[in-house]
């Protein structure tokens, strides 16, 4: 429905215009901040999340899904995502990278296991264990674990991270047997899982998986219990069915976004983006031929043209490079972002007629064809991970 300026203003008097998204539209995780109805906002599609989990579950033959909800739940809000995933049996646990996110989940009342895939010091570890957060371990911290386990009179459940070639965190695979034997021998330790991360290099991934399976196989033959072995992020869900192992560990697929275009075409899973970025047209004006727009006159009108200003910029999550081809949907039509994206504004080219009005909803991305996050990121040449993970955490998030 088109909102005329008059109708829009009348609506404003009754209720904030953005409240039109439904009864669950109360601000989530915004600390009660006061937002203008023109401010950009993020919508989280409950049903799409559920459907994506279902698609993943079908793909992996009902293996458990350790949902990665790091980096503010890929932009959706870490507590929002946790709350929506918690009732799903297919997701027995979640993983984050930063301790504060793990603690946020516990503070929000999330009860399922949380794997902390990031670093911690001894004091952090005590706090994490006390709050039922499972650490991901890859250094010889057996003595610390002994002390913590003695104090709580229970072993510490944990996962061990093995580096099979990514060169990031994780015990190097050749040193992994020694560490795993040491941990397994301690009564203070309960190894719940062993994990690795692929480099997502088509050939080398095979070598990595081989290293991991050789390692796990030989330790298991010694009688060491490794818990659930897991390796598969979203990339592997599409590329490496042989790496689904005992559990999968996707992030992006849960949010309904394909990391690479061929995955979308493959038909392996029907994923629906569960996140939208929206705002409202703040201003509409006509530029005369030769007038400019944006800092450094990044755009000069070749002919008389109408443009609209959106009160959303790179601080909100609109990529700085969006003018390289990203398009915004207003009233069902797609319009290009032009000039340069500034911190809090961007400008779209409407054409020879003033077809939009102040107050119209402008969709920067959502789940519809042509406006998906993948469409926007491809159009302006950024990774789709940069798009959702760079959404400003302070923007209001509404579950629809
Ligand atoms: C982020 C992350 C994942 C999930 O990656 P996606 O590509 O979003 O599926 C899995 N494992 C680890 C260790 C990660 O850091």
């Amino acid at each position: 429905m088109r909102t005329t300026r008059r109708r829009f203003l009348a609506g404003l008097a009754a209720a904030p215009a953005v409240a039109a998204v439904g009864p669950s539209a109360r601000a989530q995780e915004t600390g009660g901040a006061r937002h203008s109805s023109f401010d950009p906002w993020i919508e989280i599609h409950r049903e799409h999340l559920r459907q994506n989990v279902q698609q993943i579950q079908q793909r992996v033959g009902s293996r458990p899904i350790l949902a990665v909800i790091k980096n503010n739940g890929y932009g959706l809000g870490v507590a929002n995502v946790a709350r929506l995933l918690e009732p799903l049996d297919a997701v027995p646990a979640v993983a984050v990278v930063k301790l504060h996110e793990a603690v946020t989940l516990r503070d929000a009342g999330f009860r399922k296991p949380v794997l902390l895939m990031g670093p911690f010091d001894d004091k952090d570890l005590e706090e994490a264990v006390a709050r039922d957060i499972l650490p991901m371990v890859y250094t010889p911290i057996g003595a610390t674990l002994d002390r913590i386990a003695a104090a709580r009179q229970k072993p510490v459940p944990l996962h061990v991270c093995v580096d099979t070639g990514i060169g990031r965190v994780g015990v190097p695979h050749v040193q992994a047997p020694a560490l795993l034997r040491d941990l397994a021998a301690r009564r203070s330790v309960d190894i719940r899982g062993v994990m690795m991360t692929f480099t997502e290099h088509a050939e080398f991934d095979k070598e990595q998986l081989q290293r991991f399976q050789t390692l796990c196989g030989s330790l298991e033959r010694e009688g060491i219990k490794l818990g659930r072995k897991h390796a598969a992020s979203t990339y592997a869900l599409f590329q490496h069915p042989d790496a689904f192992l005992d559990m999968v560990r996707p992030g992006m697929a849960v949010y309904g976004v394909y990391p690479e275009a061929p995955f979308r075409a493959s038909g392996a899973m029907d994923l629906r983006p569960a996140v939208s970025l929206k705002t409202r047209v703040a201003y509409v004006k006509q530029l005369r031929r030769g007038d400019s727009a944006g800092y450094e006159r990044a755009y000069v009108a070749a002919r008389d043209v109408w443009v609209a200003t959106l009160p959303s910029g790179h601080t909100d999550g609109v990529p700085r490079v969006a003018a390289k081809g990203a398009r915004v949907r207003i009233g069902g039509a797609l319009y290009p972002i032009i000039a340069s994206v500034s911190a809090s504004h961007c400008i779209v080219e409407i054409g020879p007629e003033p077809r939009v009005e102040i107050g119209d909803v402008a969709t920067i991305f959502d789940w519809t064809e042509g406006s998906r996050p993948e469409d926007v990121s491809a159009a302006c040449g950024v990774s789709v991970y940069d798009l959702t993970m760079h959404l400003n955490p302070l923007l209001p998030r509404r579950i629809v």
Side-chain angles (χ1 to χ4, degrees), residues 68 70 74 117 168 197 233-234 249-252 385:
V68 179
K70 67 190 179 192
Y74 284 56
M117 304 195 296
R168 206 167 61 176
T197 298
S233 66
T234 299
R249 205 176 66 227
M252 204 45 113
Y385 287 82

Side-chain angles (χ1 to χ4, degrees), residues 274-287:
V275 55
S276 308
L277 175 60
K278 299 186 177 183
T279 184
R280 284 179 187 274
V281 172
Y283 196 41
V284 182
K285 64 157 65 104
Q286 189 183 34
L287 299 180

